Amino acid sequence: MKGIINTGFKVGILGGGQLGKMLVLAAQNWELETWVLDVSKDFPAGAACDHFVEGSFKDFDDVYHFGKQVDVLTIEIEHVNTEALLKLEREGIKIHPSPTALNIIKDKGLQKQFYKEKALPTSHFKFYENAKEIKTAIDNRQLTFPFVQKSRTAGYDGKGVAIIKSAEHLDRLMDTPSIIEPLVDIQKEIAVIVARNENGEVKAFPPVEMEFNPTANLVEFLFCPAAISSEIAREAIAIAKSTIEAYDLCGLLAVELFLTKDNEVLINEVAPRPHNSGHHTIDSAICSQFQQHLRAIVNYPLGNTEATIPSVMVNLLGADGHTGKAQYEGLQDCFSIEGAKFHIYGKAITKPFRKMGHVTIVDQDLENAKNKARQIQKSLKIISASQS
Ligand code: ADP
């Protein structure tokens, strides 16, 4: 392998969103050459990377030709053309995460089946082809309320998930191949980001706890360390490590978990890439998730995942009712909040609940950090210039 510090080692990233941008920024510290494929150079990673290639990460030819030009190929989004990745892999291109694992992870049905086969803990599930089949199962009393429907392939950020508590919610059913799982009695939602390199070294970041915006079903706050016992933390980390090994992945794996009211730890879903639940590591860990992903995919020793200080991460979401050129109302005042570190992604257009940036607040006292996070949420509004 060419040394990464030598000029000319090319890291290709499929996707030019904020995760791609932060990966590019981490790579620049080590003089890695970054190549990004996406449809517009105006996306967050476009201006930051060394080489932007215009094309679609969903298109076979675009992905194939892009992959031929780099030394290692990775992703910042799962919904890429895996047929092209499989061909590139056969031709000897190094791809992390592996296209075989990606094909499983992209389909929530295959993912659940995988956990069942590998005896990894997850809730029960059943497959349905469409809404009609689900309604028939309800009529035949094979399926009872409450339950959760998940589109097998179309979902992200809660958009492919319907929580059906009673017959009144049946209009929420999606007419698409889905899995149905029981509504889990959730005590907390936690996540563990774990990394593995080609030598088989595995390291996990401390578990984080997520709090959701009830309207948008998007993560709103994230706390680290999670308020869980050390026993639960150990169990969550052990599950995350077993999961990355089961997938035989190199790079990062973000493992989203439910802690049930009975203190059971269940895998909800995974993402084989840097993840929203690891953003705080840029500001509050010895090694960030982005550096760790790069170390893992170039097969360098993994970094220290310890947190240096407690932190809270807040997603900066576009205000409801605002679509247009983004304007950050109140941002300047928020800069006076001690320990707040701002990451603005540079998306020109804001939309309701669009992720426009994030803030990490570091503070020795987690409660103080949470209060500062709430203050920022109240004072900072991302609105459209035309509607202000
Ligand atoms: P996405 O891939 O769109 O993020 P998830 O599968 O993570 O979708 O689900 C989004 C959210 O919906 C979860 O974070 C959780 O709050 C809720 N949810 C998902 N599955 C269940 C379930 N089986 N029981 C209870 N709540 C669930």
Side-chain angles (χ1 to χ4, degrees), residues 108 123 148 150 155-161 163 181-184 186 189 212 217 256 258 268-269:
K108 287 190 178 185
S123 58
V148 179
K150 292 184 180 178
Y156 67 95
D157 282 348
K159 291 192 177 74
V161 176
I163 296 187
E181 47 182 65
L183 184 70
V184 174
I186 298 173
E189 297 199 35
F212 283 78
N217 211 7
E256 293 184 36
F258 295 144
N268 175 31
E269 60 169 354

Side-chain angles (χ1 to χ4, degrees), residues 53-272:
V53 177
E54 208 173 285
S56 168
F57 49 69
K58 293 186 176 166
D59 180 84
F60 181 95
D61 291 328
D62 288 353
V63 171
Y64 179 74
H65 294 302
F66 180 76
K68 279 292 200 190
Q69 301 179 79
V70 299
D71 293 309
V72 62
L73 187 56
T74 192
I75 57 162
E76 61 118 44
I77 183 166
E78 289 91 305
H79 298 283
V80 299
N81 190 302
T82 41
E83 291 308 310
L85 294 184
L86 285 164
K87 184 169 160 65
L88 287 164
E89 190 179 55
R90 284 194 297 273
E91 292 172 10
I93 305 291
K94 200 190 275 272
I95 300 164
H96 295 313
S98 83
T100 312
L102 248 185
N103 269 337
I104 298 172
I105 292 167
K106 273 167 66 172
D107 179 332
K108 287 190 178 185
L110 296 180
Q111 235 194 91
K112 294 289 272 189
Q113 214 160 29
F114 180 81
Y115 303 137
K116 197 172 161 191
E117 279 161 23
K118 301 284 178 185
L120 289 161
T122 194
S123 58
H124 297 294
F125 63 96
K126 257 187 116 171
F127 293 130
Y128 289 90
E129 273 311 305
N130 48 42
K132 191 165 163 249
E133 257 190 37
I134 296 170
K135 285 183 182 151
T136 307
I138 296 168
D139 292 342
N140 297 341
R141 296 177 193 281
Q142 290 159 334
L143 178 61
T144 51
F145 300 111
F147 60 82
V148 179
Q149 181 197 18
K150 292 184 180 178
S151 161
R152 285 184 63 165
T153 53
Y156 67 95
D157 282 348
K159 291 192 177 74
V161 176
I163 296 187
I164 315 285
K165 291 194 175 161
S166 65
E168 278 156 41
H169 294 159
L170 282 177
D171 57 344
R172 296 180 189 173
L173 276 183
M174 298 168 284
D175 195 18
T176 176
S178 327
I179 51 166
I180 296 284
E181 47 182 65
L183 184 70
V184 174
D185 214 358
I186 298 173
Q187 184 190 144
K188 284 176 191 292
E189 297 199 35
I190 56 180
V192 174
I193 294 185
V194 63
R196 183 166 172 263
N197 66 14
E198 287 169 2
N199 289 343
E201 190 189 3
V202 177
K203 277 192 182 172
F205 286 93
V208 298
E209 185 174 335
M210 287 171 272
E211 202 169 289
F212 283 78
N213 175 312
T215 319
N217 211 7
L218 267 179
V219 176
E220 196 159 49
F221 285 152
L222 178 150
F223 313 127
C224 184
I228 52 176
S229 68
S230 49
E231 204 181 330
I232 299 281
R234 269 198 302 277
E235 189 180 339
I237 287 172
I239 291 171
K241 287 183 171 175
S242 306
T243 308
I244 200 167
E245 269 161 4
Y247 277 119
D248 195 15
L249 274 178
C250 290
L252 291 184
L253 185 72
V255 184
E256 293 184 36
L257 301 151
F258 295 144
L259 174 62
T260 71
K261 292 206 169 129
D262 299 330
N263 279 333
E264 241 189 314
V265 182
L266 302 175
I267 301 172
N268 175 31
E269 60 169 354
V270 301

